[in-house]
Amino acid sequence: MISLKKLAADGLIKLTDARRKYTIDGVQRLEAIYRIPLKYLYYNNQNGRISTALQKYVSGHPEVVLNPALDDENPEYNDLFESFIFKSNEQRMKATQESISDRGQEEPGVVLDDGRVIDGNRRFTALRRIQKSKGIEQYFEAAILDFDITNSVDKKTIKQLELDLQMGKEDRQDYDPIDRIFDVYNTVYVEKNNDSSGVCEKYRQRTSKGNKQRY
């Protein structure tokens, strides 16, 4: 397992001049933003935005085991999740890709130290597609958080942060209603997240707000 912070210490990941505030467990933290080569990152298989596509795929391919992996370990994993994200809204994805290609990534994402992308899946997808089409290495700018998704306490914190980032702001792309239902069910009942009222309230608030596009 890689450590992005160690790679940064070794000079393989560059620190930018940017900083970003995040509220984690009720505490505001100022996090450094890094410029991370895409080869060190992988999609979060627990992302609520692609719940429907993932469930359909798993149901149709029961023999396939989707273990999260970097491209040099198993490129099919990231390629599959890239297709889920792109097909979830091709028009918006094309717009995101065009914007980043023209102006660069304007909004940083959030990743875990092992390379799991927690926030910024559309931006990560756009950068992957740009890298493939141009043949030029691209970089994902993001904060690196020291949480372990296999730890139940950290997992709850990660989920809460994901909800805060994806649903607590009007400029995020809204979740598909079916994905929203799957994500609530999975979070509250399957993963036994004991903050069920908080999870549902986040979704309720998000559905009452309009959307504006931002990259």
Side-chain angles (χ1 to χ4, degrees):
M1 180 181 295
I2 68 167
S3 165
L4 297 182
K5 291 284 185 72
K6 185 178 186 304
L7 291 174
D10 292 340
L12 298 176
I13 293 176
K14 302 300 183 184
L15 181 66
T16 73
D17 295 330
R19 299 292 184 272
R20 177 72 183 272
K21 287 183 179 179
Y22 298 95
T23 301
I24 301 174
D25 286 336
V27 178
Q28 229 181 38
R29 290 168 41 171
L30 185 64
E31 296 289 341
I33 303 300
Y34 294 83
R35 193 166 180 260
I36 309 168
L38 304 188
K39 64 184 178 181
Y40 296 135
L41 302 172
Y42 66 93
Y43 287 98
N44 179 16
N45 61 335
Q46 300 179 30
N47 183 287
R49 191 181 297 284
I50 54 173
S51 296
T52 307
L54 179 57
Q55 291 298 326
K56 286 181 178 178
Y57 182 84
V58 171
S59 297
H61 304 80
E63 75 286 356
V64 177
V65 179
L66 292 176
N67 291 323
L70 301 176
D71 284 338
D72 64 351
E73 299 169 340
N74 179 16
E76 288 79 12
Y77 175 85
N78 270 341
D79 285 344
L80 179 63
F81 279 80
E82 178 185 317
S83 72
F84 290 160
I85 297 291
F86 184 79
K87 292 176 182 178
S88 67
N89 194 323
E90 292 191 21
Q91 184 176 354
R92 286 197 177 188
M93 270 307 315
K94 288 177 181 178
T96 300
Q97 185 173 332
E98 182 178 351
S99 174
I100 291 178
S101 183
D102 290 344
R103 302 194 296 270
Q105 182 186 340
E106 297 178 346
E107 182 81 7
V110 175
V111 302
L112 300 185
D113 189 48
D114 68 350
R116 184 185 293 259
V117 177
I118 298 301
D119 178 63
N121 286 279
R122 285 194 301 136
R123 283 157 279 167
F124 178 45
T125 297
L127 287 164
R128 284 176 56 86
R129 291 173 62 83
I130 292 169
Q131 180 167 280
K132 290 175 183 176
S133 65
K134 293 186 176 181
I136 301 173
E137 186 171 26
Q138 302 293 306
Y139 301 86
F140 186 57
E141 295 188 357
I144 302 173
L145 302 182
D146 295 318
F147 290 116
D148 180 2
I149 205 165
T150 63
N151 178 284
S152 60
V153 176
D154 282 359
K155 187 173 185 178
K156 179 181 175 182
T157 299
I158 293 165
K159 188 62 184 180
Q160 190 62 51
L161 177 62
E162 179 191 340
L163 291 173
D164 287 343
L165 291 170
Q166 295 292 344
M167 299 180 192
K169 299 184 179 178
E170 295 183 8
D171 59 5
R172 303 287 177 169
Q173 178 186 343
D174 198 9
Y175 271 47
D176 178 273
I178 303 302
D179 285 331
R180 185 184 301 121
I181 292 170
F182 268 119
D183 197 34
V184 170
Y185 176 82
N186 190 61
T187 301
V188 176
Y189 296 102
V190 177
E191 297 178 5
K192 307 298 182 184
N193 187 323
N194 57 19
D195 187 24
S196 58
S197 61
V199 172
C200 294
E201 178 62 16
K202 287 290 182 184
Y203 279 105
R204 188 198 66 76
Q205 291 174 357
R206 187 64 182 92
T207 57
S208 68
K209 296 180 179 180
N211 296 298
K212 292 185 288 186
Q213 186 75 356
R214 186 175 179 182
Y215 310 100

